[in-house]
């Protein structure tokens, strides 16, 4: 079973700053099957990035994804107030099984 | 616009069976492009995939829950359902129903979620 480890657990930044969130897999993951989600309090998660680097419909271009193999990154180029939330990475593997990381909380500094 | 809506009891007693239904509107559950699934989130914690079903009835379950989970589909009602048996307090969570796109195996639509509490 592939384990996804996200870091940091909490990231404290100010609006306008750049955010870099990491997702590391315990073994190699197909880039086609690595995604990122944003979740705000009391809401369901929202798909941000699929295929490691493709933005979902309606997602602003300040969000970008990159990486391959075991290391993946979500970057928010310039933080807006509405970007402060919890972010999860997710992979799909054989079996089939969906696995989520434990999340990174992006909070206002 | 696709919508998914969970329904079912918000309180279940320990050792009993949790039952939820997801009603899909604005799209057909019989589409060959998607799976339909359940994901849960204990209060203050992360997301856990429970299982998925294809419109044909093929099912896929999280190995850690497989012995207790049954997911079924009713294409005539555009619904799919979750049954989780022998529940304990550890099964207390917000349960989301979701659409999973086959192309990139991601959750592209979520229900609003329903809190199920396991307590006597």
């Amino acid at each position: 079973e592939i384990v996804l480890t996200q870091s940091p657990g909490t990231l404290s930044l100010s609006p306008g700053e750049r955010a870099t969130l990491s997702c590391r897999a315990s073994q190699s993951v197909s880039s086609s099957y690595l995604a990122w989600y944003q979740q705000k309090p009391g809401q369901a998660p929202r798909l941000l990035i699929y295929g490691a680097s493709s933005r979902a419909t309606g997602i602003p271009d300040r969000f970008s994804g990159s990486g391959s193999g075991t290391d993946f990154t979500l970057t928010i180029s310039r933080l807006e107030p509405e970007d402060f939330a919890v972010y999860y990475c997710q992979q799909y593997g054989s079996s089939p099984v969906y696995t989520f990381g434990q999340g990174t909380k992006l909070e206002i500094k | 616009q696709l919508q998914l809506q969970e329904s079912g009891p918000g309180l279940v007693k320990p050792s009993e069976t949790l039952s939820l239904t997801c009603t899909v509107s604005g799209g057909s559950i019989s589409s060959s492009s998607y799976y339909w699934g359940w994901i849960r989130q204990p209060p203050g914690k992360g997301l856990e995939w429970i299982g998925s079903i294809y419109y044909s009835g093929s099912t896929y379950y999280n190995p850690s829950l497989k012995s207790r989970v049954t997911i079924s589909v009713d294409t005539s009602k555009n619904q799919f359902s979750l049954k989780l048996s022998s529940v304990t307090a550890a099964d207390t969570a917000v349960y989301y129903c979701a659409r999973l796109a086959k192309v990139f195996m991601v959750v592209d639509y979520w229900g609003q979620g329903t809190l199920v509490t396991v307590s006597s």
Side-chain angles (χ1 to χ4, degrees), chain B:
Chain B
Q1 175 76 354
L2 188 78
Q3 291 188 331
L4 295 85
Q5 180 66 58
E6 305 89 352
S7 59
L11 180 63
V12 181
K13 290 182 168 55
S15 80
E16 295 190 344
T17 296
L18 178 160
S19 295
L20 295 173
T21 295
C22 183
T23 300
V24 179
S25 58
S28 174
I29 205 169
S30 299
S31 170
S32 60
S33 299
Y34 305 102
Y35 292 97
W36 305 89
W38 292 93
I39 294 162
R40 70 180 183 179
Q41 185 171 37
K45 296 187 178 180
L47 300 162
E48 180 180 37
W49 172 72
I50 299 170
S52 305
I53 191 165
Y54 197 51
Y55 75 93
S56 62
S58 298
T59 52
Y60 310 90
Y61 299 137
N62 187 322
S64 68
L65 298 169
K66 187 174 183 177
S67 63
R68 298 195 292 131
V69 174
T70 302
I71 297 176
S72 58
V73 64
D74 186 337
T75 56
S76 67
K77 295 182 179 179
N78 231 32
Q79 294 177 334
F80 60 104
S81 299
L82 168 70
K83 292 188 184 299
L84 181 64
S85 64
S86 306
V87 297
T88 69
D91 295 310
T92 293
V94 174
Y95 285 76
Y96 296 101
C97 62
R99 188 179 83 170
L100 300 97
K102 286 177 67 178
V103 176
F104 288 98
M105 305 309 283
V106 294
V107 182
D108 63 351
Y109 275 92
W110 300 71
Q112 66 184 26
T114 186
L115 175 62
V116 179
T117 301
V118 178
S119 175
S120 56

Side-chain angles (χ1 to χ4, degrees), chain A residues 6 21 34-39 45-49 74 86-91 98 100 104, chain B residues 39 47 99-100 104-110:
Chain A
Q6 292 186 240
L21 286 67
L34 193 287
W36 290 92
Y37 300 84
Q38 176 194 67
Q39 187 178 34
R46 175 176 70 146
L47 178 65
L48 296 176
I49 300 289
L74 174 69
V86 179
Y87 292 84
Y88 294 94
C89 58
Q90 172 251 314
Q91 71 89 28
Y98 294 79
F100 292 91
T104 289
Chain B
I39 294 162
L47 300 162
R99 188 179 83 170
L100 300 97
F104 288 98
M105 305 309 283
V106 294
V107 182
D108 63 351
Y109 275 92
W110 300 71

Side-chain angles (χ1 to χ4, degrees), chain A residues 1 21 40 60 62-63 65 84 87-88 96:
Chain A
E1 177 189 343
L21 286 67
K40 296 181 180 179
R62 64 179 181 274
F63 290 89
F84 292 91
Y87 292 84
Y88 294 94

